[in-house]
Amino acid sequence: MNKKSFFCITMLFISLSTYATAQEGDVIYIDGVQWILLGKPVYADSVLSRELKEALPKDRGWSTANWSGYTAYWSIWKDKLCLDSVQYMIYDGSDRLGRTESLPSKTLRRLFKKYVEGKRIVATWLDGDIRVAKGKMIYYVHDGYRRNYENERMISIGQGKVRGVKDYQNYVVEGFAFDEYHPEANPPRQFPRKRNSDLPEMFPLHIEQYPELAGQKRIVFSVRRAQVDATGHLVDCEIRVLRPGDNPKLAAEMAEAMKAYYPWRVMFINGEYKANGIEGYTFPYPLDGKGTK
C-alpha cells in the first residue's frame, strides 16, 4: 500500500472521531444480510467526498451523530465493494419526522463515473480494511466509531476488491473495572464508579510504610498498559502515582495489589483480550485508615 492509500484509509476511520461524538455508520449488505459499516468509505477520497456533499440538498437533515448528513448503502458483489445508493432526510414544517430520499441514480453515476462498471459503482478508490458489525453492542465510547458488537467482520479491500475476510465473535466476561458497565442498555452505558471507599479493601496497601503520606486524604493513581487474560486475571499493568507526587515504590505495591485481585472484567474483541474499563483510568484511593496492614 502506498503512502497516499494508507493516509486515505486511516482518515476513513479517524476523521469523524475529531468531533468527539459517536457517529452513525453506513449500511452494507453481504449475502443478503444487513450489517453496519463502521466508517464512511467515500471519505477515503477527499475529492469524491467533497463532490458528493456538494450534490446533496443543502436543506437535508443532519445531526451530531451524522455530520455528513447522508447514509451510503453498499454491497459485496462478485467480491467487489459496490456503492448502491446514498440516502438523506428532508424535513419541512408540516413533517416533523421527515422523509427519506435518495440521490438520483443518474447523479450518483455522474459523480462516480470513473468507478462505474456496467450497472455497478465499484469502490476502486479504496485500499485498506473496512469493519462491519451486527448483533448486540457490547462496548461503547461516545466518540467516532469506537464501539464493538457481538459479530464483527474485518474485510480487506484492495482497489475495491475483497482480498481477505476475518470474522470475530466478541463477548464480555463480567468482573471489576473502574467504570460501571451496563451491557443491556442501548447503547451500553459506562459511568464513573462512585464506590471509591471500597478500593482500600480490594487493594490493601502498607500505608504505614509511607510517612510522606501523613495528612493526605487520598492518593490518585493512574493505570496504563493493562493486560487481562481469559480467566479475569490482571496479568500486567503500569501504575503511576499522580497525587500527592510520584512515588515508584507505592506505585509498584499498588500494581501487585491489583494483580492479586480477581476477577477483573475481560472483553474479547476482534481476537484480543481487552482491558476496557481498566486501561487508561485514573482513580482516587481514599486514606481513611482502611486497608492498611
Side-chain angles (χ1 to χ4, degrees):
M1 185 186 302
N2 59 38
K3 291 183 179 179
K4 179 180 179 182
S5 297
F6 177 81
F7 173 78
C8 290
I9 198 64
T10 301
M11 290 303 295
L12 166 65
F13 295 107
I14 69 171
S15 58
L16 289 180
S17 67
T18 59
Y19 294 107
T21 187
Q23 293 296 304
E24 298 172 356
D26 280 349
V27 176
I28 186 169
Y29 286 87
I30 304 173
D31 297 327
V33 178
Q34 180 177 309
W35 297 66
I36 302 167
L37 198 165
L38 295 165
K40 293 278 187 182
V42 175
Y43 280 18
D45 187 304
S46 59
V47 175
L48 280 178
S49 180
R50 184 185 70 249
E51 292 179 347
L52 174 58
K53 289 182 180 179
E54 290 175 351
L56 292 168
K58 304 301 181 186
D59 60 345
R60 70 186 184 280
W62 63 275
S63 70
T64 55
N66 187 346
W67 288 99
S68 65
Y70 73 82
T71 300
Y73 286 74
W74 306 81
S75 62
I76 302 294
W77 174 78
K78 293 186 177 181
D79 287 332
K80 297 178 181 179
L81 177 64
C82 299
L83 174 61
D84 299 326
S85 65
V86 173
Q87 297 185 3
Y88 48 88
M89 297 293 293
I90 295 294
Y91 297 87
D92 57 46
S94 62
D95 187 0
R96 294 183 180 180
L97 295 178
R99 64 183 185 277
T100 301
E101 294 189 359
S102 296
L103 196 67
S105 177
K106 184 178 180 179
T107 302
L108 198 62
R109 290 173 67 86
R110 174 179 57 80
L111 292 171
F112 292 85
K113 59 185 178 182
K114 294 194 301 183
Y115 308 101
V116 173
E117 295 185 13
K119 296 182 179 181
R120 302 276 183 170
I121 297 172
V122 180
T124 54
W125 66 85
L126 188 60
D127 285 290
D129 293 341
I130 60 173
R131 182 166 63 99
V132 303
K134 62 184 177 70
K136 185 175 71 174
M137 189 187 301
I138 64 170
Y139 180 64
Y140 176 84
V141 175
H142 196 61
D143 183 8
Y145 300 106
R146 292 179 59 192
R147 55 188 184 270
N148 294 95
Y149 295 78
E150 288 178 310
N151 304 298
E152 293 195 14
R153 179 174 292 181
M154 295 294 293
I155 305 175
S156 179
I157 303 292
Q159 295 184 328
K161 296 182 179 180
V162 176
R163 305 297 190 188
V165 176
K166 292 183 179 179
D167 283 297
Y168 298 99
Q169 305 298 315
N170 299 327
Y171 59 86
V172 179
V173 178
E174 290 303 323
F176 176 75
F178 291 108
D179 59 15
E180 293 182 357
Y181 179 68
H182 302 267
E184 298 305 321
N186 186 20
R189 298 193 304 271
Q190 297 165 66
F191 299 104
R193 186 173 176 82
K194 297 180 180 180
R195 297 175 61 186
N196 292 318
S197 59
D198 293 341
L199 298 183
E201 183 176 352
M202 296 169 65
F203 314 128
L205 301 175
H206 294 87
I207 298 300
E208 71 280 1
Q209 295 182 6
Y210 305 93
E212 65 272 24
L213 296 178
Q216 297 292 329
K217 294 183 177 181
R218 66 183 63 84
I219 311 166
V220 178
F221 293 97
S222 71
V223 188
R224 295 292 186 273
R225 301 179 182 176
Q227 299 177 27
V228 290
D229 64 16
T231 65
H233 286 92
L234 183 66
V235 297
D236 200 9
C237 64
E238 178 183 292
I239 304 297
R240 286 193 59 196
V241 178
L242 300 183
R243 289 193 295 272
D246 191 25
N247 190 324
K249 180 181 176 182
L250 179 59
E253 185 178 355
M254 173 56 80
E256 292 306 310
M258 289 173 60
K259 285 188 281 187
Y261 181 83
Y262 171 87
W264 291 84
R265 188 176 72 212
V266 178
M267 290 189 174
F268 186 74
I269 295 177
N270 295 347
E272 296 182 3
Y273 294 107
K274 300 284 189 178
N276 292 332
I278 307 168
E279 166 66 29
Y281 272 77
T282 297
F283 62 94
Y285 184 96
L287 296 177
D288 56 2
K290 296 181 180 180
T292 56
K293 295 194 290 185

